[in-house]
Amino acid sequence: MSILMSVAGQFFLKAGALRLGKVNSTNIISHLVSIVTTPELLAGLTCYGLGAFAYILLLTRVKLSVAAPSIALVYVFSVMIGFLIFREPVPLSRVFGLGLIVGGVVLVVWKS
């Protein structure tokens, strides 16, 4: 649940950031104000908060040495969302890096 909420948070924060547009020296104040009024950004922050609560509950049942590395799967799912939904390019080097992350998580949780 923690991973899913964090990934949802990533999605909503990116959607909200796209809605805001690029920040520069002339619009930084309005962007800061818009952060608290943009529904996608509020949803993203809410998801992160719920993910943190889920992670705390997880830590009552699972070793930190297993739970913390497993959270790295958020990176994998975030890249997938970036590629599939936001049409961001994913170079081969990034795919290789994501494979290393998945392999590392598998090794960490193997027979824990």
Side-chain angles (χ1 to χ4, degrees), residues 64-111:
L64 178 63
S65 61
V66 172
S70 298
I71 295 298
L73 292 176
V74 170
Y75 302 134
V76 176
F77 294 120
S78 294
V79 170
M80 290 171 62
I81 285 175
F83 176 74
L84 296 171
I85 296 175
F86 296 111
R87 303 291 183 216
E88 297 175 353
V90 180
L92 188 57
S93 60
R94 193 168 303 152
V95 172
F96 180 72
L98 293 172
L100 291 173
I101 290 171
V102 171
V105 171
V106 168
L107 289 174
V108 168
V109 302
W110 190 270
K111 298 182 182 181

Side-chain angles (χ1 to χ4, degrees), residues 8 11-13 23 26 34 42 48-49 51 53 56 61 64 70-71 79-80 91 95 102-103 110:
F11 167 77
F12 285 118
L13 290 180
V23 66
T26 61
S34 294
L42 294 174
Y48 269 136
F53 282 119
I56 292 166
R61 303 183 59 148
L64 178 63
S70 298
I71 295 298
V79 170
M80 290 171 62
V95 172
V102 171
W110 190 270

Side-chain angles (χ1 to χ4, degrees), residues 39-64:
E40 294 90 345
L41 296 175
L42 294 174
L45 293 172
T46 300
C47 287
Y48 269 136
L50 293 172
F53 282 119
Y55 187 67
I56 292 166
L57 296 175
L58 176 71
L59 289 175
T60 67
R61 303 183 59 148
V62 176
K63 295 177 186 176
L64 178 63

